[in-house]
């Protein structure tokens, strides 16, 4: 007798479909999509939202793709996305410490702060990724930058 899929498994399947939709819009400019939060931790329940970190070649194009997917799939409130450009993502390993204060994220120790373009999104991504993330697209890219 087959067991029913858990909420985490169902949401993970939905996450893969969303990642594929992003890929169909962004093409090769989409580098990786990570599921984070309760779904990545296999602790999702029926009402859990989906949380993503989306790594693209360019930040603004990635954000535009996310907006288009959110609109076309009516994901408002059901999914949250953090867009990160690939250069910032690849510089994550250079972040040494973060200061989280009243909802804002400030990089406080880093080798060369000028290299990071979007401090808030990359700082938030750093905090979320270190708690666990599962790539649902771009596994090869994610593996190549696993130290990030």
């Amino acid at each position: 007798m087959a067991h029913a899929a858990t909420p985490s498994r169902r949401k993970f399947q939905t996450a893969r479909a969303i990642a594929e939709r992003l890929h169909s819009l962004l093409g090769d400019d989409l580098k990786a999509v990570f599921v984070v939060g309760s779904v990545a931790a296999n602790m999702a329940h029926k009402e859990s939202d989906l949380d993503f970190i989306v790594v693209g070649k360019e930040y603004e194009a990635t954000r535009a793709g996310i907006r288009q997917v959110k609109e076309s799939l009516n994901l408002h409130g059901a999914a949250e996305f953090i867009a990160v450009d690939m250069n910032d993502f690849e510089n994550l390993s250079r972040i040494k410490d973060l200061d989280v204060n009243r909802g804002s994220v400030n990089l406080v120790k880093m080798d060369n702060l000028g290299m990071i373009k979007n401090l808030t999104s990359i700082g938030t991504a750093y905090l979320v990724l270190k708690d666990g993330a599962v790539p649902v697209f771009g596994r090869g890219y994610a593996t190549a930058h696993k130290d990030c």
Side-chain angles (χ1 to χ4, degrees):
M1 183 171 156
H3 294 284
T6 65
S8 287
R9 179 156 314 271
R10 283 192 297 274
K11 289 186 180 291
F12 193 77
Q13 292 167 343
T14 301
R16 284 182 193 262
I18 291 168
E20 286 303 319
R21 178 66 72 92
L22 282 165
H23 182 238
S24 71
L25 285 171
L26 297 172
D28 291 340
D29 287 350
L30 181 65
K31 301 303 178 188
V33 179
F34 296 90
V35 171
V36 296
S38 62
V39 175
N42 197 27
M43 297 184 69
H45 51 81
K46 186 177 176 180
E47 294 79 26
S48 295
D49 66 349
L50 283 163
D51 299 300
F52 295 93
I53 295 178
V54 181
V55 182
K57 184 176 179 182
E58 295 179 358
Y59 177 74
E60 289 302 328
T62 303
R63 283 176 40 114
I66 290 169
R67 279 192 299 274
Q68 191 170 348
V69 167
K70 283 178 83 169
E71 290 292 327
S72 69
L73 297 177
N74 194 26
L75 294 175
H76 299 286
E80 298 297 325
F81 297 82
I82 298 172
V84 178
D85 91 13
M86 64 185 236
N87 292 320
D88 286 355
F89 180 78
E90 291 168 12
N91 282 313
L92 272 175
S93 63
R94 296 172 47 244
I95 298 172
K96 307 299 181 200
D97 196 9
L98 291 171
D99 175 35
V100 182
N101 186 8
R102 297 182 196 163
S104 66
V105 178
N106 301 303
L107 301 170
V108 293
K109 291 183 184 172
M110 193 171 142
D111 295 339
N112 181 358
L113 235 107
M115 297 299 292
I116 300 291
K117 296 176 192 169
N118 300 294
L119 293 177
T120 301
S121 68
I122 200 65
T124 304
Y126 173 83
L127 288 174
V128 173
L129 284 168
K130 77 176 194 159
D131 286 338
V134 177
V136 290
F137 177 85
R139 188 175 303 275
Y141 178 85
T143 301
H145 297 91
K146 66 183 175 202
D147 293 334
C148 297

